[in-house]
Amino acid sequence: MTSNGRNGKPKPFEGLRVTDLSWVGVGPTVAKYLGDHGAEVIRVESATRMEGLRRAGPFTNNEPHYDNSGYYANFNSSKLGITINLKTDKGKALLKRLVAVSDVVTESFTPGSLKKLGLDYEELRKVRPDLVMISMPLFGQTGPWAHYMGYGHVLQAASGFNHLTGWPDGEPIGTGIAYTDFLVPHVGALALVAALDYRRRTGQGQYIDFSQFEGAIHALGPAILEWTANGREAERLGNRDPEAAPHGAYRCKDGRYVVIACFTEQDWEGFRAAIGRPDWTDLERMRRKWSRLDEQKEIDRHIDFWCRERTAAQAFKAMRDHGVPSGIVKSPEEMHRDPQLRHRGHYAALEHPTMGVRTYDSPAFRLSKTPGGPTKAAPLLGEDTERVLKGTLGLSDDEFTELLVEGVLE
């Protein structure tokens, strides 16, 4: 079902309702994709066990508060927010009433947690037979690691990213962020859309056992293939690349860095012209890419000298003018005012009740017929509880007050 959305065009998931029980990064981002494209996503939380990301910075004005986390806000825009204490019998019954009028349930609890509460897929499908439900724990529902808990920092190590990140003579250092939290949701969203398409065609629901671990390793295909096909183990290379020379980040005279990567002979020809080294054509060791891979120290020495005489913008322009793959290393501030992102409308400005007007990431893709994007700032804790329970579930004022007094809505 569709109806008019932003720019007067329909949204693909208009009319779809999602009960979002997920935590932290991956699960909320998967549900956000649906919300950005028209679905009514109802984020279910509890004040008795606060969502971990609400306690994570950065906080607006450096003031820590569960309604003041920019991290949480960016992952939960386009959603309504309610609180239900699922440890109470009435809370469980209330959630089932919500699921009965929902199309999708998203969750990322440790396997077995919802079953203990009597809220697993087999129980929930009794109230909604065509329910589509996706579970997104770290390692899936089965196997020796199924009950291990952790976050993206743990997962990037377990899935092999840390092994490849760092310098050849140093220890694994990771990426500095929960890298897989920004990679895995794309795979989870695809699985969920596929299940929804199956339901559209057959009228039947489906349960998705999604492993963040398995979603992450798809990004390391070349390294895995190198081992399975050739028996060679990929190693940490710092800024090097096994098939490019030069390949690195170089400091310019203004203190900023420019990256340069030459993979093809055409790249190399443009690079030589850019830095003014036509004489390298006469050197046998510089003539072919595979021999140049052994000469990177000398190549880097010339680039360092060349960059010290130019700003990053000047170095980038010279490379670009000669068709050399290159780019300037940008800070978060520069990314926020990047002209390309502004032209594309990537950052959406939304008014948050406590944080004021802030920018939120939009989807990286634009659907020509059914465009989407963030429509509502992330909810305060329990912001829409009364609205959803009275409006969507039809609770009376007395019923709502009774649940509130009994602590069911904490």
Side-chain angles (χ1 to χ4, degrees):
M1 291 181 290
T2 61
S3 68
N4 286 344
R6 190 169 66 174
N7 299 324
K9 294 185 178 182
K11 290 189 174 183
F13 295 119
E14 196 79 29
L16 195 79
R17 180 173 290 130
V18 181
T19 295
D20 182 14
L21 301 174
S22 57
W23 287 64
V24 191
V26 171
T29 303
V30 170
K32 171 180 157 57
Y33 271 122
L34 300 184
D36 284 347
H37 290 87
E40 180 187 63
V41 179
I42 301 173
R43 184 84 159 85
V44 181
E45 301 179 72
S46 174
T48 62
R49 188 180 179 186
M50 195 79 67
E51 147 74 283
L53 209 57
R54 284 188 176 274
R55 299 190 296 268
F59 297 102
T60 301
N61 299 323
N62 293 319
E63 297 175 3
H65 189 274
Y66 55 77
D67 282 330
N68 212 25
S69 167
Y71 208 173
Y72 174 91
N74 201 36
F75 284 178
N76 290 281
S77 58
S78 302
K79 300 181 184 182
L80 303 174
I82 69 173
T83 49
I84 301 177
N85 185 351
L86 297 180
K87 293 184 177 180
T88 66
D89 290 338
K90 288 187 176 180
K92 297 171 189 175
L94 196 60
L95 181 71
K96 287 184 177 181
R97 288 180 63 178
L98 181 59
V99 171
V101 294
S102 297
D103 302 280
V104 176
V105 170
T106 59
E107 68 94 4
S108 53
F109 286 92
T110 303
S113 298
L114 288 182
K115 187 175 181 63
K116 291 178 182 178
L117 294 172
L119 298 172
D120 60 321
Y121 174 66
E122 293 304 320
E123 287 298 315
L124 295 181
R125 69 185 297 204
K126 293 177 182 178
V127 300
R128 180 71 191 230
D130 63 346
L131 179 69
V132 172
M133 181 171 177
I134 181 170
S135 296
M136 299 169 278
L138 228 59
F139 296 105
Q141 296 295 309
T142 60
W145 289 13
H147 288 84
Y148 288 7
M149 296 180 289
Y151 299 94
H153 293 286
V154 173
L155 192 61
Q156 68 173 322
S159 55
F161 286 94
N162 287 28
H163 176 73
L164 300 176
T165 310
W167 300 100
D169 57 349
E171 69 279 0
I173 60 175
T175 63
I177 60 171
Y179 180 74
T180 54
D181 280 1
F182 303 91
L183 167 68
V184 172
H186 310 306
V187 185
L190 285 173
L192 186 53
V193 170
L196 287 169
D197 178 64
Y198 174 80
R199 191 182 77 162
R200 178 187 62 81
R201 291 183 287 106
T202 67
Q204 299 179 25
Q206 192 162 178
Y207 178 69
I208 305 169
D209 173 6
F210 180 72
S211 164
Q212 294 187 33
F213 177 53
E214 292 170 56
I217 63 175
H218 281 282
L220 293 176
I224 296 171
L225 286 172
E226 183 70 15
W227 169 255
T228 56
N230 302 313
R232 288 195 293 266
E233 184 175 292
E235 300 177 351
R236 290 181 290 282
L237 297 174
N239 280 330
R240 295 278 190 248
D241 185 276
E243 295 187 5
H247 188 283
Y250 305 94
R251 185 182 177 91
C252 297
K253 74 174 183 180
D254 56 357
R256 302 176 71 194
Y257 287 79
V258 65
V259 295
I260 300 171
C262 291
F263 284 89
T264 68
E265 293 304 320
Q266 184 177 355
D267 295 341
W268 174 250
E269 294 301 318
F271 169 75
R272 285 193 304 101
I275 68 169
R277 289 304 307 258
D279 57 303
W280 275 347
T281 56
D282 299 328
L283 299 177
E284 183 64 31
R285 57 192 171 87
M286 294 291 188
R287 193 167 295 167
R288 296 289 181 264
K289 179 173 71 173
W290 303 115
S291 59
R292 288 195 297 271
L293 289 171
D294 296 326
E295 303 297 331
Q296 292 205 63
K297 286 187 177 180
E298 180 179 347
I299 296 172
D300 282 352
R301 182 170 61 83
H302 285 276
I303 298 175
D304 286 336
F305 179 79
W306 184 81
C307 284
R308 282 199 300 268
E309 297 181 332
R310 292 162 178 83
T311 65
Q314 291 170 336
F316 170 64
K317 183 178 185 305
M319 292 295 157
R320 183 187 62 189
D321 289 347
H322 287 85
V324 181
S326 179
I328 297 174
V329 177
K330 295 180 181 177
S331 68
E333 178 185 0
E334 290 167 329
M335 288 300 297
H336 199 262
R337 53 190 169 94
D338 182 87
Q340 178 66 18
L341 293 176
R342 287 185 177 273
H343 171 80
R344 298 271 298 172
H346 177 77
Y347 296 118
L350 301 172
E351 178 80 35
H352 188 275
T354 61
M355 292 189 282
V357 177
R358 290 292 183 269
T359 53
Y360 295 76
D361 284 320
S362 294
F365 52 87
R366 305 289 185 272
L367 302 177
S368 63
K369 301 296 184 182
T370 55
T375 56
K376 174 187 176 297
L380 302 176
L381 183 64
E383 177 184 345
D384 304 292
T385 303
E386 184 172 3
R387 169 187 169 183
V388 171
L389 298 190
K390 289 184 178 180
T392 303
L393 299 188
L395 266 65
S396 67
D397 290 342
D398 289 343
E399 289 176 311
F400 181 83
T401 301
E402 180 181 345
L403 293 173
L404 195 62
V405 171
E406 293 179 359
V408 177
L409 305 182
E410 293 181 346

